[in-house]
Amino acid sequence: MLALNPAAGFTLVADLGGSHARLIVANLGQKVLAEDRFKPEIADGPGSVLTKIVARFRKMLAQPGIKGGRLLNIVFGLACPVDFVRGIPVRPPIMPGWDGFPIAKFVQE
C-alpha cells in the first residue's frame, strides 16, 4: 500500500477557458487549500493572461494555512488541443494569439 504525506508538497491547478479561469492550490491528499476564480481577457494574449495567473498563484501560496512542503507541479487545463511534449496550445479556435505559445516554459520562468 502506498501512502503520501499530504503536507509534503503542493500542486497548482489552472483551468483556463475562453470565459473563465479557476485556480486551485491543493495538497498531495487532493485537499483544496485555496481557490480563485476570475474572468480572463483571453484576447489580450497569453503573456498578459499567464502573468495574471502567476501573480494570483503567488498570492494564494502566501495565504495563512499554506505552509510547509514545496511546489511539486503545475497543471494547466486549456480549452484547446495541446502538444503535451512541448507544452504548447495547438490551433486554439477560441484563443487568438495562443497558437504555439510556450506556456510551460513561460510559467516555469
Side-chain angles (χ1 to χ4, degrees):
M1 178 179 228
L2 174 66
L4 298 176
N5 176 356
F10 302 104
T11 296
L12 303 181
V13 180
D15 172 22
L16 183 60
S19 62
H20 75 279
R22 180 178 180 211
L23 310 178
I24 291 174
V25 177
N27 68 16
L28 291 184
Q30 299 179 6
K31 179 180 178 187
V32 174
L33 303 174
E35 183 173 355
D36 186 16
R37 295 173 188 253
F38 70 101
K39 182 176 178 172
E41 296 297 330
I42 294 297
D44 287 348
S48 174
V49 173
L50 294 173
T51 296
K52 289 176 186 171
I53 287 174
V54 169
R56 286 174 178 259
F57 272 140
R58 288 181 191 273
K59 187 175 179 180
M60 292 166 71
L61 287 169
Q63 291 179 12
I66 300 180
K67 312 177 196 176
R70 59 188 175 111
L71 178 59
L72 298 174
N73 54 37
I74 302 171
V75 179
F76 268 80
L78 301 173
C80 66
V82 174
D83 179 332
F84 295 104
V85 173
R86 295 187 302 158
I88 62 170
V90 179
R91 293 184 301 275
I94 62 170
M95 300 171 78
W98 289 70
D99 186 34
F101 188 85
I103 292 175
K105 182 178 179 186
F106 183 92
V107 173
Q108 285 174 348
E109 291 173 356

